[in-house]
Structures are given as C-alpha cells and as structure tokens.
C-alpha cells in the first residue's frame, strides 16, 4: 500500500486475526500459553507480501470465526462454565471479548477506509 493509512488498516486486520486466534486457543486448549504482549499480537510486517498471503489472512480470520461458532453450537457447550485453560473466565466472557475486540478495531477500519476514500461517509 502506498500510504500510511492503508498500511495501518492492514496492520489492524492482522492484529484482529492474531487476537481472535489467541482467544480461541485460550478457550479450547488446556495447556494454553499466552503470547508475549505486545509483540506477538501485532504482525512483523505491515502488509501481505503477496495476494496469496492476503488470501491466507482472510481465510485464517474466517476459519477462526467458524471454529468459535462451532464451539458455541456444540450441545455440550455451557457458556457459563470456565474455558479450558483457566477457571477464572467463562466462555461467555471470552466470546464477548472477541466480539468487542473485533467491533472496536472494525470501527477503526471503517474510519481509515473513509479517510482513504475507499468508502463514502
């Protein structure tokens, strides 16, 4: 991308994907280990190097969302029970966090896309 706003938009998309995947792991893996903050929650580069890498990023986001939805649809899933990695947080709390985080950064993306003239006000 040629401009700073465009690079920031892609950087934000990476962050959303990384964080969403981390929250899925937090909910489903008993032996979860938290990534290092903040370096592991942000991409090493500011834009995909290729169209293939961009497609992989979009696929990762969609697949993680599908995994979260599948978890919620399981008959045995109890939203009020603790997640696999800790007794401190419920699945309901973590799903709310995913929604809130994606909405927050999604709003930032809309603002950036408006500033770039990609979408109209």
């Amino acid at each position: 991308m040629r401009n700073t706003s465009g690079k920031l938009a892609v950087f934000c998309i990476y962050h959303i994907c990384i964080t969403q995947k981390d929250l899925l792991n937090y909910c489903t893996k008993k032996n979860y280990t938290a990534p290092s903050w903040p370096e592991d929650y942000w991409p090493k580069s500011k834009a995909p190097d290729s169209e293939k890498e961009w497609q992989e990023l979009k696929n990762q986001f969609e697949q993680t969302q599908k995994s979260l939805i599948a978890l919620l649809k399981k008959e045995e899933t109890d939203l009020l029970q603790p997640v696999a990695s800790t007794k401190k947080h419920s699945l309901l709390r973590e799903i709310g966090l995913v929604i809130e985080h994606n909405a927050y950064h999604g709003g930032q993306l809309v603002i950036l896309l408006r500033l770039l003239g990609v979408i109209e006000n």
Side-chain angles (χ1 to χ4, degrees):
M1 296 214 164
R2 293 183 302 237
N3 59 55
T4 303
S5 296
K7 289 178 184 175
L8 185 57
V10 174
F11 196 64
C12 189
I13 292 168
Y14 269 111
H15 171 69
I16 291 169
C17 290
I18 292 166
T19 304
Q20 182 176 263
K21 179 71 171 173
D22 177 52
L23 288 167
L24 174 63
N25 290 338
Y26 183 73
C27 291
T28 59
K29 298 191 183 305
K30 284 189 180 272
N31 296 323
Y32 169 82
T33 302
S36 296
W37 175 259
E39 56 272 4
D40 290 341
Y41 287 89
W42 297 95
K44 306 300 181 231
S45 64
K46 292 192 175 38
D49 292 328
S50 65
E51 180 64 27
K52 181 182 177 201
E53 190 175 317
W54 175 245
Q55 288 300 322
E56 288 171 357
L57 179 65
K58 291 191 300 185
N59 291 342
Q60 176 191 338
F61 178 80
E62 291 171 0
Q63 185 55 49
T64 303
Q65 281 201 331
K66 287 177 184 177
S67 296
L68 286 164
I69 291 167
L71 176 62
L72 293 173
K73 285 184 171 182
K74 285 183 180 178
E75 191 172 315
E76 65 272 15
T77 296
D78 182 346
L79 293 175
L80 300 178
Q81 289 300 309
V83 296
S85 64
T86 182
K87 300 292 182 206
K88 295 179 183 178
H89 300 130
S90 69
L91 180 58
L92 181 61
R93 177 195 184 273
E94 298 309 310
I95 294 299
L97 185 57
V98 170
I99 293 167
E100 182 181 358
H101 184 264
N102 288 359
Y104 175 80
H105 288 299
Q108 288 180 318
L109 286 170
V110 169
I111 291 168
L112 286 170
L113 293 172
R114 284 183 176 163
L115 291 171
L116 291 168
V118 175
I119 59 175
E120 295 181 19
N121 291 332

